[in-house]
């Protein structure tokens, strides 16, 4: 057919050389994906079953990232979400219904708690909390309608390591599923699915992205049945991840091992040095025995990453804790972690009645890729300055 140039803008006959071979996964952006004929049109979400049907359910870029995360976590299948928190929401919305009960550790990531308190309860789900170090005693916190038990190990900020296999055993004995936030271990230093967890999530925003410039999450199911429930819910939630962001995460994955090795070594060096400082009451780093659940970390984990917390000694006022954080030059102040820049954030648990632990004296550190000696010099100067009343 002879085409008008305006039609050619849409239906071009232009040719380019074939055979380009890059080492990287191309960024496939698409809403529309084409069907071979009218009868082939379907709105099925599982692109493994139906072939590609719609960009919302995954393009080759998003599915490549999903498949690679799934490979690392030894799962059945993975779904990529636009952020870690949306991965948490997907799990809760897919696996819970009105009348169900969900259990969360007291140390759970704050917005997971908020989702439970502010949204799930609104939809008739009962939400309660348990001490993260409860282990097999979780059975006492369970109810006949308990359907999901969340684990997060180590816990956010307070870093308690959990006895995940014991929780899994009690949950499965009563027919409940175990969901786990496995972000701290980057999905590789704790093999959650091999320890019996049914569904894991990671904020890929942290170590997989690795450069503080992308928000993404993953949800990995151990078995097909759970994957089907997650996929069907993801379809109607309409939370698709951007293929551009997925390509950044795929790039991040290539350097994940070297970054993890480096931050593990630096964090351990810094944590052990901090433990010798008189300004510090304790170090909440799973590889140090001052961390609640350290023995479980030794039993279950393959390594540690670069996030840990310090508790300043009890003479430190809140102002002094803030002076400590504000005096740091290399450590910057900001949320999220897993990037190349060291970060420090002070938390005040005195505000939370049930979690008054450590009060205003806890500071979470993210160790980045700077030289550890420089980071220690920075911390030392800030500790000396802030301890002077
Ligand atoms: C343990 C943990 N889980 C989940 C999230 C949520 O990730 P995102 O910021 O990608 O929503 C965070 C973010 O800080 C986190 O620390």
């Amino acid at each position: 057919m002879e085409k008008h140039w305006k039609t050619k803008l849409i239906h071009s006959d232009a040719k380019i050389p074939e055979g380009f071979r890059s080492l990287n996964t191309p960024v496939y952006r698409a809403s529309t994906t084409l069907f071979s004929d009218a009868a082939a049109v379907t709105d099925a979400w599982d692109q493994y079953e139906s072939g590609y049907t719609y960009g919302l359910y995954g393009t080759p870029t998003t599915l490549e990232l999903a498949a690679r995360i799934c490979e690392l976590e030894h799962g059945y299948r993975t779904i990529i979400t636009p952020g870690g928190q949306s991965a948490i929401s997907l799990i809760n919305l897919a696996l819970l219904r009105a009348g169900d009960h969900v259990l969360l550790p007291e140390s759970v990531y704050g917005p997971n708690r908020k989702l439970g308190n502010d949204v799930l309860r609104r939809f008739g789900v009962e939400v309660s909390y348990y001490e993260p170090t409860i282990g097999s005693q979780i059975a006492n916190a369970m109810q006949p309608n308990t359907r999901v038990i969340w684990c997060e190990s180590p816990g956010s900020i307070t870093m308690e390591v959990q006895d995940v296999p014991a929780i899994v055993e009690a949950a499965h004995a009563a027919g409940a599923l175990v969901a786990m936030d496995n972000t701290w271990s980057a999905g590789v230093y704790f093999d959650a699915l091999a320890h019996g967890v049914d569904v894991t999530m990671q904020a890929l925003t942290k170590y997989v992205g690795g450069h503080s410039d992308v928000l993404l999450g993953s949800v990995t199911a151990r078995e097909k049945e759970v994957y089907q429930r997650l996929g069907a819910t993801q379809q109607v939630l309409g939370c698709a991840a951007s293929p551009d962001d997925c390509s950044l995460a795929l790039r991040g994955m290539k350097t994940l091992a070297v970054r993890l090795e480096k931050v593990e070594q630096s964090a351990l060096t810094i944590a052990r040095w901090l433990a010798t400082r008189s300004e510090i009451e304790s170090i909440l780093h799973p590889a140090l025995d001052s961390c609640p659940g350290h023995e479980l970390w030794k039993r279950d984990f393959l390594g540690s990453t670069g996030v840990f917390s310090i508790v300043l000694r009890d003479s430190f006022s809140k102002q002094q804790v803030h002076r400590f954080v504000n005096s740091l030059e290399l450590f910057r102040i900001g949320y999220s972690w897993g990037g190349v820049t060291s970060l420090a954030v002070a938390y005040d648990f005195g505000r939370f009645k049930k979690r008054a632990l450590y009060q205003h004296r806890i500071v979470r550190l993210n160790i980045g890729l700077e030289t550890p000696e420089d980071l220690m010099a920075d911390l030392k100067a800030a500790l000396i300055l802030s301890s002077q009343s």
Side-chain angles (χ1 to χ4, degrees):
M1 186 205 298
E2 198 44 47
K3 288 178 256 178
H4 191 281
W5 70 267
K6 290 181 183 171
T7 301
K8 282 189 178 171
L9 294 178
I10 318 296
H11 300 277
S12 171
D13 296 319
K15 296 272 179 289
I16 56 165
E18 289 180 1
F20 180 74
R21 292 165 69 209
S22 162
L23 287 167
N24 305 305
T25 309
V27 179
Y28 289 99
R29 291 193 202 92
S31 51
T32 301
T33 57
L34 300 177
F35 297 100
S36 56
D37 55 56
V41 173
T42 168
D43 192 30
W45 63 266
D46 189 348
Q47 313 293 273
Y48 279 91
E49 298 291 325
S50 56
Y52 291 101
T53 62
Y54 191 41
L56 189 67
Y57 313 144
T59 77
T61 317
T62 38
L63 293 192
E64 172 86 20
L65 177 62
R68 287 179 175 230
I69 295 293
C70 195
E71 185 179 38
L72 280 186
E73 292 200 26
H74 311 117
Y76 170 70
R77 222 147 259 170
T78 296
I79 294 170
I80 301 296
T81 64
Q85 180 59 19
S86 57
I88 291 170
S89 307
L90 172 61
I91 293 173
N92 281 324
L93 296 176
L95 303 183
L96 293 165
R97 63 174 66 179
D100 287 351
H101 173 232
V102 59
L103 272 165
L104 298 142
E106 289 283 2
S107 53
V108 79
Y109 173 59
N112 192 351
R113 173 187 286 264
K114 215 167 185 307
L115 178 80
N117 293 349
D118 298 353
V119 181
L120 297 182
R121 280 184 180 153
R122 195 149 47 80
F123 288 99
V125 175
E126 280 185 72
V127 182
S128 56
Y129 297 90
Y130 66 91
E131 270 310 309
T133 51
I134 198 169
S136 59
Q137 297 303 309
I138 190 81
N140 300 329
M142 291 177 70
Q143 303 177 180
N145 59 341
T146 305
R147 295 284 169 266
V148 174
I149 301 178
W150 272 90
C151 292
E152 184 183 328
S153 181
S156 275
I157 305 148
T158 42
M159 304 301 291
E160 299 88 344
V161 184
Q162 296 197 267
D163 192 344
V164 175
I167 292 173
V168 163
E169 198 183 327
H172 288 177
L177 295 170
V178 177
M180 174 149 188
D181 187 331
N182 204 17
T183 306
W184 184 82
S185 92
V188 290
Y189 284 160
F190 178 64
D191 191 340
L193 300 178
H195 284 86
V197 168
D198 299 283
V199 55
T200 63
M201 56 72 47
Q202 267 194 78
L204 303 178
T205 307
K206 317 294 183 210
Y207 283 119
V208 172
H211 297 77
S212 313
D213 57 0
V214 63
L215 284 153
L216 276 177
S218 65
V219 177
T220 302
R222 187 157 53 85
E223 283 170 11
K224 186 171 180 177
E225 197 261 335
V226 169
Y227 167 68
Q228 293 291 335
R229 289 166 72 186
L230 292 162
T233 303
Q234 171 75 350
Q235 175 181 34
V236 293
L237 289 177
C239 284
S242 148
D244 292 273
D245 289 347
C246 290
S247 90
L248 287 176
L250 282 164
R251 184 167 68 173
M253 275 183 93
K254 296 183 186 190
T255 57
L256 179 65
V258 284
R259 286 186 286 108
L260 286 182
E261 268 166 41
K262 176 66 187 161
V263 295
E264 174 171 35
Q265 282 319 315
S266 296
L268 283 169
T269 305
I270 293 166
R272 288 182 184 132
W273 168 77
L274 280 168
T276 67
R277 297 288 312 185
S278 61
E279 301 89 344
I280 306 286
E281 179 180 288
S282 60
I283 309 288
L284 304 175
H285 183 306
L288 269 64
D289 55 17
S290 50
C291 189
H294 163 70
E295 291 302 321
L296 297 169
W297 174 82
K298 275 209 294 205
R299 185 190 71 186
D300 294 341
F301 282 67
L302 303 171
S304 58
T305 55
V307 174
F308 65 96
S309 297
I310 57 178
V311 183
L312 291 151
R313 71 167 183 240
D314 64 6
S315 59
F316 267 70
S317 66
K318 188 165 175 169
Q319 273 154 323
Q320 283 177 296
V321 174
H322 283 190
R323 199 186 306 156
F324 164 65
V325 171
N326 293 339
S327 315
L328 293 163
E329 288 182 13
L330 299 177
F331 284 84
R332 314 300 292 271
I333 306 170
Y335 278 138
S336 212
W337 43 270
V340 300
T341 311
S342 291
L343 301 172
V345 178
Y347 289 86
D348 186 350
F349 282 107
R351 285 183 297 131
F352 303 113
K353 246 193 256 149
K354 274 205 176 158
R355 206 114 198 93
L357 208 64
Y358 313 127
Q359 297 132 346
H360 56 268
R361 298 178 287 116
I362 186 162
V363 177
R364 182 176 70 182
L365 302 177
N366 170 66
I367 304 301
L369 295 184
E370 303 93 338
T371 297
E373 286 69 27
D374 289 350
L375 295 175
M376 288 187 285
D378 196 21
L379 289 163
K380 183 176 176 183
L383 283 172
I384 292 171
L385 211 112
S386 57
S387 60
Q388 293 154 2
S389 47

